[in-house]
Amino acid sequence: MFVLSFLEGVGKYLFMLRSTISKPEKVSMYWRETVRQMYDIGVGSFGIIAIVSVFIGGVTAVQFGYKFIELAFIPMWWLGAIVRDTMILELAPTITALLLAGKIGSNIATELGTMRITEQIDAMDIMGVNTTSFLVGPKIVGGVLIVPALVMVAMLLGTYGGMIAGEMGGFYTDQEYLYGLQDDFRPLYIRVMFVKSIVFPFLITSISCYKGFYVKGGALQLGKASTEAVVISSIAVVIANFLIAFIML
Amino acid sequence: MIEVHNIQKRFGEQLVLKGISTTFSPGKCNMIIGKSGAGKTVFLNCLVGLVTPEEGEILLDDRNIVPMSQKEKSVIRKEMGMLFQKNALFDSMNIEENVMFPLDMFTNKSLEEKKERVNFCLERVNLVNVNKKYPSEISGGMMKRVALARAMVLNPKYLFCDEPNSGLDPKTSIIIDELIKEITEEYKITTVINTHDMNSVIGIGDKIIYFYEGEKNWEGTNKEVLNTDNENLNDFIFASKFLKEIRNLNKK
Ligand SMILES: Nc1ncnc2c1ncn2[C@@H]1O[C@H](COP(=O)(O)OP(=O)(O)O)[C@@H](O)[C@H]1O
Ligand SMILES: [Mg+2]
């Protein structure tokens, strides 16, 4: 039973994605909507992502730092490379995505769900608007365009957080850390980060749109859909995270 | 002109529309009346193609909408306006943007031209100085008028209204009814209105269809509706004891 309804859900989700791809009635309207989404996601989430990344970078440096002090044979500048790689490979894209799943996932599901239960989507349908494409498309495209920039910021700020925290802990000087940052730099890691920062927002926005777009009922179902959007997109992100690492590394 | 031939719609076990046939003429207010649950909304949703009946044809000026794909429907829908029970105004947009939305989406008019058209429609429904307000900031009657302005902005050939008076006080209801009537006659629109408000029926109904448990139980004009022998219809019209008493007094 569970498997069946899961498969049905996946089918409906893929159907939604398919009908999202169609020629826009009016390119300028779609673009306007996409820019609005980029702004909402980018500006709306910048603060929390910035704060969280600085601290996560700091914690990474401190925790490895204590271990390294015990293992006296490892040079402390190495921490620069370690913070850099964990930020690039894992923390920047994944933490950003999980924060976004919580924030924009519920926003999107609530926005579309409200439009559904107050007949706003029907109203657009009646006008002849392709509602899947107009309401879902710009959210996915906007997310995929702006999130890589957010991940980039998270990566830079996290690495910077590692520098400050390490200095405060007395592990290394700025120069040592910067030296470490340049050690054994692998472009592949950047590619992995890039792939993640496109796949994750795609999953979050499309799953949340799906949950909101097909809400039936009233306020209660809307709340439930919004929670499910967050839970399911978070799970999708961690699974995709594993698969990408598995395939690319 | 809308022709409906024998449409049937089923939800699971329940046959909600049991073979409805009728015609609606342009420039007329066609009213569907009946108790809650009689199938009025489902019927209206069939006419606009939000619900697809299993049987029958719905011809909008000889174009059958029933078998149409989403794409084909979207062409014909540019000729439709609809008033929803809950207004369905876009709450992220102000009044002006709401009314302008169909113009933005489907025309290549300049901003000036669009503004002119929007203001014309807003004035037509007697709304001024609300352009920059949001739907949450205006009264129910005003929302209904905005919805009407939005429905007429692209000069529709067909106008569909689902219980346009629900939630409005009697005076405001009459104003909205009169507006719908005027616009219908002025622009020769084929208008179909769902209602259970007998005031509107007597006030503006040119053709009246009575739905009873998914069937068309009676059809006639607003002159005839008060003097019918149809038991079900009389029960519906003279639902209150008060009205029944009055009718009995009249009969004597
Ligand atoms: N989407 C649906 N799924 C199942 N049943 C429905 C659906 N829409 C309407 N119905 C049923 O159809 C009947 C007619 O409903 P409706 O057309 O809304 O009545 P009304 O005349 O009050 O507008 C009701 O019994 C309702 O429960
Ligand atoms: Mg109804």
Side-chain angles (χ1 to χ4, degrees), chain A residues 25-26 28-30 32 36 114-115 117-130 134, chain B residues 48 50 70 74 77-78 80 82 84-86 88-91 101-108 150:
Chain A
E25 287 93 1
K26 193 84 176 295
S28 61
M29 285 290 279
Y30 278 65
R32 198 167 86 185
R36 190 172 77 84
T114 306
M115 291 186 77
I117 61 183
T118 57
E119 300 178 327
Q120 293 176 49
I121 295 184
D122 288 340
M124 278 193 189
D125 263 327
I126 297 296
M127 289 173 191
V129 177
N130 180 344
F134 180 66
Chain B
V48 298
L50 281 180
Q70 209 57 31
S74 76
R77 279 176 172 165
K78 281 156 206 158
M80 293 179 183
M82 180 149 181
F84 286 84
Q85 212 164 335
K86 298 176 217 159
L89 297 179
F90 306 132
D91 41 30
F101 182 83
L103 295 169
D104 283 337
M105 205 70 183
F106 300 115
T107 70
N108 289 313
R150 186 180 67 183

Side-chain angles (χ1 to χ4, degrees), chain B residues 40-41 85 162-163 194:
Chain B
K40 303 184 296 293
T41 298
Q85 212 164 335
D162 196 0
E163 312 220 359
N194 276 355

Side-chain angles (χ1 to χ4, degrees), chain A residues 157-178:
Chain A
L157 287 178
T159 314
Y160 183 65
M163 180 159 99
I164 303 173
E167 266 180 84
M168 279 164 55
F171 300 143
Y172 40 65
T173 62
D174 285 1
Q175 281 72 30
E176 285 170 321
Y177 187 76
L178 291 173

Side-chain angles (χ1 to χ4, degrees), chain B residues 11 14 16 35-42:
Chain B
F11 286 112
Q14 189 192 5
V16 176
K35 282 192 290 200
S36 303
K40 303 184 296 293
T41 298
V42 173

Side-chain angles (χ1 to χ4, degrees), chain B residues 102-160:
Chain B
L103 295 169
D104 283 337
M105 205 70 183
F106 300 115
T107 70
N108 289 313
K109 290 188 160 83
S110 70
L111 189 62
E112 303 282 275
E113 290 171 304
K114 286 190 280 194
K115 282 208 160 144
E116 201 174 307
R117 177 70 189 155
V118 167
N119 286 329
F120 173 84
C121 291
L122 284 173
E123 275 167 34
R124 188 68 196 73
V125 298
N126 306 320
L127 278 178
V128 282
N129 296 328
V130 294
N131 290 35
K132 300 296 173 201
K133 292 212 157 113
Y134 281 82
S136 57
E137 300 169 341
I138 60 177
S139 70
M142 286 162 104
M143 283 199 228
K144 205 57 93 176
R145 285 191 246 179
V146 175
L148 188 55
R150 186 180 67 183
M152 66 179 277
V153 75
L154 285 178
N155 282 318
K157 282 168 84 169
Y158 317 100
L159 179 63
F160 303 98

Side-chain angles (χ1 to χ4, degrees), chain B residues 29-236:
Chain B
C29 286
N30 302 280
M31 320 275 289
I32 317 282
I33 60 174
K35 282 192 290 200
S36 303
K40 303 184 296 293
T41 298
V42 173
F43 179 72
L44 208 63
N45 285 344
C46 287
L47 296 186
V48 298
L50 281 180
V51 167
T52 307
E54 282 97 31
E55 298 263 331
E57 292 184 319
I58 297 168
L59 304 175
L60 299 159
D61 291 292
D62 297 325
R63 297 161 298 180
N64 187 2
I65 192 169
V66 175
M68 280 186 187
S69 69
Q70 209 57 31
K71 233 185 194 144
E72 291 168 312
K73 277 181 197 166
S74 76
V75 174
I76 219 168
R77 279 176 172 165
K78 281 156 206 158
E79 303 170 3
M80 293 179 183
M82 180 149 181
L83 273 193
F84 286 84
Q85 212 164 335
K86 298 176 217 159
N87 297 319
L89 297 179
F90 306 132
D91 41 30
S92 62
M93 303 179 196
N94 66 28
I95 302 309
E96 184 176 86
E97 289 163 344
N98 260 283
V99 180
M100 202 182 281
F101 182 83
L103 295 169
D104 283 337
M105 205 70 183
F106 300 115
T107 70
N108 289 313
K109 290 188 160 83
S110 70
L111 189 62
E112 303 282 275
E113 290 171 304
K114 286 190 280 194
K115 282 208 160 144
E116 201 174 307
R117 177 70 189 155
V118 167
N119 286 329
F120 173 84
C121 291
L122 284 173
E123 275 167 34
R124 188 68 196 73
V125 298
N126 306 320
L127 278 178
V128 282
N129 296 328
V130 294
N131 290 35
K132 300 296 173 201
K133 292 212 157 113
Y134 281 82
S136 57
E137 300 169 341
I138 60 177
S139 70
M142 286 162 104
M143 283 199 228
K144 205 57 93 176
R145 285 191 246 179
V146 175
L148 188 55
R150 186 180 67 183
M152 66 179 277
V153 75
L154 285 178
N155 282 318
K157 282 168 84 169
Y158 317 100
L159 179 63
F160 303 98
C161 312
D162 196 0
E163 312 220 359
N165 297 337
S166 72
L168 299 182
D169 62 85
K171 272 223 164 109
T172 313
S173 299
I174 293 174
I175 295 172
I176 298 292
D177 282 348
E178 288 301 325
L179 272 173
I180 294 175
K181 174 106 182 150
E182 285 167 27
I183 291 165
T184 298
E185 290 179 352
E186 197 173 326
Y187 302 105
K188 296 271 168 293
I189 300 172
T190 306
T191 298
V192 183
I193 305 168
N194 276 355
T195 187
H196 45 225
D197 179 358
M198 282 311 290
N199 256 327
S200 327
V201 174
I202 305 303
I204 64 167
D206 293 308
K207 173 171 187 169
I208 292 138
I209 295 174
Y210 175 62
F211 272 28
Y212 182 76
E213 294 182 353
E215 285 179 63
K216 184 177 88 176
N217 201 244
W218 186 88
E219 183 173 293
T221 67
N222 63 347
K223 305 279 180 311
E224 295 159 357
V225 72
L226 290 177
N227 303 308
T228 155
D229 314 324
N230 184 313
E231 279 295 319
N232 292 329
L233 181 52
N234 275 329
D235 258 2
F236 174 76

